[in-house]
Amino acid sequence: MEQILIIEDDEAIAMIEKDFLEINGYQVTVALDGETGLNYATKQSFDLIILDIMIPKIDGLTIMKTLRSRLMIPILFVTAKTDEIDRLRGLGIGADDYICKPFSPTELVARVKSNLATYDRLKQQFNAVPIQNELVVGPIRIQPQAYRLWVADQEVTLKRKEFELLLFMMEHVDQVLSKEQLYDRIWGGESFGDLRTVVVHINRLREKIERDPAQPKHIQTVWGAGYKFIP
C-alpha cells in the first residue's frame, strides 16, 4: 500500500484529503505544522507528499527546498496562494504538481494517482538500465539509474524533474524538442499543469549546467519551435 504524507495546518482540510485518499487505497499520515511534517518526511518512508505552503513553524517552500535535496518522490503543493509568481516559485524549487484551494477531493486524488503512475514508470525505466550505464555528451556525463551528473568533472545536483528533463534532451542531441513534447514526456500526458512548467525547469537547468546561463551553449532556444541540446 502506497504511503502518503499530508502536511497541512487546516485540520478539516487535512482530514478530508486523508479520508478520500484512504478510500482510494492509500495509507495516509497527517502533520499539522511544518516542523512535524519535515520530521516525518525525513525519518519515515513515503511514496508521495502533499504539502501546503502557508503552514506554521516551517513554511512549505522551506520544507520543499530541504526535501528535494534528499528525496526523489513526487511532492504536490496544495495552497490558497494563487498568484502566478508563487506558482512558478513552487514548481521552480522542485514541486511536481500544484493545486489551489478550493479544490475538489476527487481532483486531488486524480493528481496523486497521475504523479505516482508517472514516478513508477520512470523508476521502471531506470531500473532496466545497467547500473554502470552512463551517457556522455560533450563535457556532461550522466548516470541515469544513480541520478548523478557531472559537468566538466564537477558533480552537479539536480532535482528529479530537472534530471529527467536533461536526460531526455541529452538522449536527443541536436533535435528540436517542443515544449509540448517535453511536458508530455517528463510530466506525463495525464498530468495537470501548463507549458510554463517547462520554461521554469529549462531556466533552472541552465543555471546549473551552463557556464553563462544568459548565453547558453548546451540548452538552446529555437524560437517558435522549442529547445535543443548541443554538445
Side-chain angles (χ1 to χ4, degrees):
M1 183 180 294
E2 290 166 308
Q3 306 280 329
I4 295 177
L5 172 63
I6 295 173
I7 307 176
E8 165 67 66
D9 65 323
D10 188 320
E11 187 171 2
I13 291 177
M15 291 303 106
I16 291 173
E17 295 172 356
K18 182 176 186 291
D19 289 345
F20 271 79
L21 289 168
E22 289 181 340
I23 289 171
N24 283 271
Y26 301 106
Q27 187 166 330
V28 181
T29 300
V30 173
L32 297 177
D33 64 73
E35 185 176 25
T36 303
L38 184 58
N39 184 57
Y40 285 163
T42 54
K43 293 185 179 179
Q44 300 180 35
S45 178
F46 295 98
D47 298 290
L48 180 143
I49 296 173
I50 298 170
L51 175 62
D52 192 11
I53 291 180
M54 300 300 291
I55 48 178
K57 297 187 179 180
I58 305 176
D59 68 88
L61 292 173
T62 300
I63 291 174
M64 173 65 75
K65 291 176 183 177
T66 302
L67 293 182
R68 203 32 103 202
S69 64
R70 306 181 187 187
L71 303 176
M72 304 306 293
I73 62 172
I75 301 178
L76 282 60
F77 269 145
V78 176
T79 180
K81 295 174 74 68
T82 57
D83 188 90
E84 183 68 14
I85 293 175
D86 291 311
R87 183 179 187 280
L88 295 179
R89 281 182 66 203
L91 293 170
I93 64 172
D96 295 281
D97 206 347
Y98 197 103
I99 181 170
C100 293
K101 301 174 185 175
F103 58 88
S104 72
T106 53
E107 181 185 2
L108 178 66
V109 172
R111 295 196 185 204
V112 166
K113 288 182 177 180
S114 175
N115 278 275
L116 285 171
T118 299
Y119 183 52
D120 186 60
R121 287 196 300 270
L122 291 168
K123 284 195 300 183
Q124 292 178 16
Q125 291 171 9
F126 289 142
N127 287 340
V129 178
I131 194 166
Q132 297 301 320
N133 187 61
E134 289 187 347
L135 178 61
V136 180
V137 180
I140 301 177
R141 178 165 59 96
I142 197 167
Q143 290 183 349
Q145 191 175 37
Y147 272 89
R148 299 184 71 184
L149 168 75
W150 291 263
V151 179
D153 294 325
Q154 293 290 319
E155 187 162 10
V156 176
T157 301
L158 298 181
K159 298 177 175 66
R160 181 166 66 91
K161 291 298 186 184
E162 295 169 352
F163 187 94
E164 292 160 5
L165 180 59
L166 178 61
L167 175 60
F168 183 66
M169 296 186 75
M170 288 177 62
E171 290 172 338
H172 298 82
V173 172
D174 289 326
Q175 296 183 33
V176 178
L177 302 169
S178 69
K179 294 176 186 176
E180 291 83 1
Q181 284 178 288
L182 295 172
Y183 185 85
D184 289 343
R185 176 61 178 81
I186 304 305
W187 285 268
E190 298 178 355
S191 186
F192 297 78
D194 57 51
L195 299 181
R196 284 169 290 189
T197 301
V198 176
V199 178
V200 170
H201 284 74
I202 288 289
N203 289 338
R204 293 285 180 176
L205 275 177
R206 284 171 170 165
E207 290 173 2
K208 294 181 178 181
I209 72 168
E210 299 282 2
R211 179 170 295 182
D212 181 1
Q215 297 183 351
K217 174 184 177 182
H218 302 298
I219 301 178
Q220 296 191 0
T221 299
V222 181
W223 297 107
Y227 302 96
K228 66 178 178 179
F229 187 90
I230 304 296

